[in-house]
Amino acid sequence: MAQTSGTGKKMSAKLISLEMEYAITLKMYEEAYKNYSETLKTSVAVIEENPCGTFSSASTNVSQACYDKVWKNAGCTTKARNIASDSWLYAQTLDAVKTDSGLHATLDDDNHKIGCYGTASGKPPTDTSNFAILKGYTFWGKSAISSDTSTSESDCTTTCANNVECTGATFNTSKQLCWIRTGDGEISEGMTDDYAIVSVLKQQAFALQKLNDRLTKLNGDIMTEMGNNFGQASGQASGQASDGSGLMQYSGLFVPSEESIRLNKLVEDKKQIDDAIKQLEGANPINGEFADSFLQAKQSRVFYMFLCIVTLCLVGIAIGNSVASKIIAVIVVMIIIAIISVSKS
């Protein structure tokens, strides 16, 4: 059974299809937004104050918060030592503290591996769960960290996850190259053999934006199809009123609200009044035609009188009689006076 609008008119199959697609896409958007919100709450990729920002590379006696960050950035998974209770470590510069943390993360002896990872087996498998891979897209961030050879997009993801400065990467299967990037940036369309490697949070935000764009497009298509079905003006059907008020809005199942109907009626009435005023204020085409005809008639009379003068002059020359010439001269003067008066009128 065909669906109908609030006016009782049947909706086209295309209109029904657009309504169904809109409802499905809206549901997808709501679910995507829920996932994004949850990830945002639990994400470790949050903006935080840099506890080492007040120290230079040559600074000694760095704070515990700064040392905790250095230890974590080195890749160690255990809790950092209490730097204040370690007189040797406390006396070291920030650069020396970073070097020491790096040695714990890379030296192969049991003492350093246990100190950094809590086990003699060394570094655990890299956790890449905070990253997502998008085929056919690229991510270039703000600046480059490195360009490495990789065998797969998964290998490239691991390389990025192992670098604390990496915010994303781009991998190309044909070139077997992995571009490690840092800083924020846009996800862009790439080649079919490109892969964008970004945080899960960024991937979810990207998906939300695409769904939002799709909903906007569907809304416009629905408004246009409503115009085709129910006769709205094209500007209103697309949701863009001619005066920019955008009164025609999608309100679900194609039933405009009473307020929307009332406002659109006022806009239509105003448009008709404006058109009437323009006709009254504009130049009257009948008056214009009359003025043109009058000008042409006046020009015709002047031209006729000019012909009379020429004719009389030729007659006077042909007769050659002095009396006749005087009479003709008087007539010519009278005609000239008439021409002048016509021209001024």
Side-chain angles (χ1 to χ4, degrees):
M1 181 177 178
Q3 297 183 41
T4 59
S5 71
T7 61
K9 295 184 179 180
K10 291 183 179 180
M11 296 187 295
S12 68
K14 181 178 180 181
L15 201 52
I16 296 172
S17 176
L18 287 169
E19 157 69 7
M20 293 176 64
E21 186 178 355
Y22 187 96
I24 293 171
T25 306
L26 183 59
K27 186 66 177 176
M28 293 171 62
Y29 182 90
E30 291 170 347
E31 188 65 26
Y33 184 80
K34 179 182 177 181
N35 293 336
Y36 176 77
S37 298
E38 291 299 320
T39 303
L40 187 62
K41 291 176 184 177
T42 59
S43 178
V44 294
V46 294
I47 300 174
E48 59 182 2
E49 183 180 355
N50 181 10
C52 296
T54 57
F55 301 102
S56 69
S57 59
S59 296
T60 58
N61 306 333
V62 299
S63 66
Q64 184 64 46
C66 177
Y67 180 53
D68 289 344
K69 184 173 179 62
V70 170
W71 186 253
K72 182 179 179 180
N73 286 351
C76 294
T77 57
T78 58
K79 183 179 179 180
R81 291 168 287 176
N82 186 334
I83 192 170
S85 63
D86 190 322
S87 58
W88 177 85
L89 190 61
Y90 194 58
Q92 302 304 305
T93 64
L94 178 57
D95 267 358
V97 170
K98 289 180 178 179
T99 300
D100 179 70
S101 299
L103 290 173
H104 274 82
T106 56
L107 290 177
D108 200 34
D109 63 278
D110 289 350
N111 287 336
H112 283 92
K113 286 192 288 188
I114 292 173
C116 185
Y117 304 112
T119 173
S121 59
K123 186 178 181 179
T126 302
D127 181 13
T128 59
S129 61
N130 288 328
F131 288 93
I133 301 173
L134 302 175
K135 180 176 172 54
Y137 292 92
T138 61
F139 174 80
W140 302 107
K142 290 295 183 183
S143 59
I145 294 178
S146 65
S147 177
D148 307 311
T149 300
S150 291
T151 57
S152 66
E153 61 273 18
S154 297
D155 185 36
C156 184
T157 305
T158 301
T159 303
C160 179
N162 283 329
N163 191 314
V164 294
E165 301 297 328
C166 180
T167 56
T170 295
F171 173 74
N172 183 274
T173 54
S174 300
K175 298 178 180 179
Q176 294 285 283
L177 280 176
C178 173
W179 291 275
I180 304 298
R181 313 294 291 186
T182 188
D184 195 16
E186 299 296 326
I187 298 173
S188 305
E189 289 193 17
M191 307 295 288
T192 55
D193 55 352
D194 284 330
Y195 291 85
I197 298 164
V198 295
S199 68
V200 171
L201 192 66
K202 192 169 190 67
Q203 179 269 329
Q204 290 176 338
F206 180 68
L208 269 177
Q209 183 60 56
K210 290 184 73 68
L211 285 170
N212 183 74
D213 293 343
R214 181 58 185 157
L215 283 173
T216 302
K217 174 67 165 56
L218 284 169
N219 189 77
D221 291 344
I222 287 171
M223 291 294 99
T224 299
E225 190 64 17
M226 284 179 67
N228 294 338
N229 275 237
F230 309 130
Q232 283 95 344
S234 59
Q236 293 175 341
S238 63
Q240 299 293 327
S242 59
D243 61 353
S245 62
L247 297 174
M248 198 67 174
Q249 297 179 7
Y250 175 67
S251 57
L253 204 59
F254 317 113
V255 182
S257 64
E258 292 182 3
E259 291 79 11
S260 178
I261 294 173
R262 212 160 47 241
L263 286 170
N264 279 292
K265 180 67 168 58
L266 290 173
V267 170
E268 184 60 30
D269 290 345
K270 181 179 181 298
K271 184 177 181 301
Q272 292 178 359
I273 293 171
D274 289 343
D275 290 342
I277 292 173
K278 287 179 181 178
Q279 289 181 2
L280 290 173
E281 292 179 344
N284 191 322
I286 298 177
N287 291 340
E289 291 175 4
F290 176 79
D292 290 342
S293 299
F294 179 75
L295 180 61
Q296 291 174 0
K298 188 162 66 173
Q299 290 173 339
S300 298
R301 288 165 59 190
V302 172
F303 182 68
Y304 173 76
M305 292 178 181
F306 175 75
L307 288 179
C308 290
I309 293 173
V310 173
T311 302
L312 289 172
C313 289
L314 291 175
V315 170
I317 293 172
I319 295 175
N321 189 289
S322 59
V323 177
S325 298
K326 290 179 181 179
I327 295 172
I328 290 172
V330 172
I331 295 173
V332 168
V333 171
M334 293 176 64
I335 292 175
I336 292 173
I337 293 171
I339 292 173
I340 295 172
S341 61
V342 169
S343 300
K344 291 181 178 180
S345 62

